[in-house]
Structures are given as structure tokens and as C-alpha cells.
Amino acid sequence: MAAEHRDVLNQFFADLATGFAAQFGAPFQEVTATWPGTAVYDDGGSIVTPGTPVEKPCKAQFDAPTEAMRNDPGFLEKDMRLIVLSGTLDGTLDSAANVVVGDGEHAGTWSLESVQGDPAGIGWECRARKVA
């Protein structure tokens, strides 16, 4: 599938999910994916310039972890399944990111312990752990 077509399809599904959420109270909520940025080091290993943090808004839904997540090494009972709609995020999600939730039941900062794209490319399924 061409990247252009995939992007249109991803946006369609993201619009559909967020429209459903707005109309019927589905659990997609506004969150922010954050990355610390990449620091620049000198030859001695000292930081010359700290990384510039990156923040990107997106929509996500929390759910119970899957059985596969529960079988992952390092799984903790407090881990959650987090589904991030790809059409709502400008870029790609990876495990270097944290997800910040501003309010509600899951308010706080969540580290992404694993990130996997779904087969249809609609979003990312993540194993998330609250860190703050």
C-alpha cells in the first residue's frame, strides 16, 4: 500500500474513532507523547548541548493488558495497555517516548515499555507503566 494511501486511511480511522468518542463517550482522550531529545557530547563525554524535548499531541485509550503483554519479561501488574491512534500523532511512536495524561483516571506520565503497530496500521498498541 502506498504511503499516501495509508496516511489517508489512518486519518480516516482516527477521525472515525475520535468522532465516535465525542458522540458516545468512548475512552479516547487527549494525551501528549514526549521525547527527551538527543544531547550533543564532546570528545570527553560531557554534554555540550542538552537535547531539545519534543512534545506531540495525540489521542489514546487505556485498557487492560493483553495476555501477550502479561507474558512479556518485566511485566508488572500495574502495567496498562495503551492504544494510540496513528492518525492523531504527527510522526512515529517508539519506546523512547513517554505519554503524558493531563487529567482523569490515568493522569500522570507513562513510560512505554513496548510499542507495536497494529496490523491495519490504525494505531500503536503499547505496554505502558506509570512513572509519575
Side-chain angles (χ1 to χ4, degrees), residues 30-38 51-59 88-94 96-102 108-109:
E30 297 288 338
V31 301
T32 304
T34 65
W35 291 263
T38 304
T52 301
V54 175
E55 297 184 354
K56 295 184 177 188
C58 53
K59 290 194 182 284
T88 65
L89 178 67
D90 179 21
T92 301
L93 194 62
D94 59 35
N98 283 336
V99 170
V100 178
V101 181
T109 301

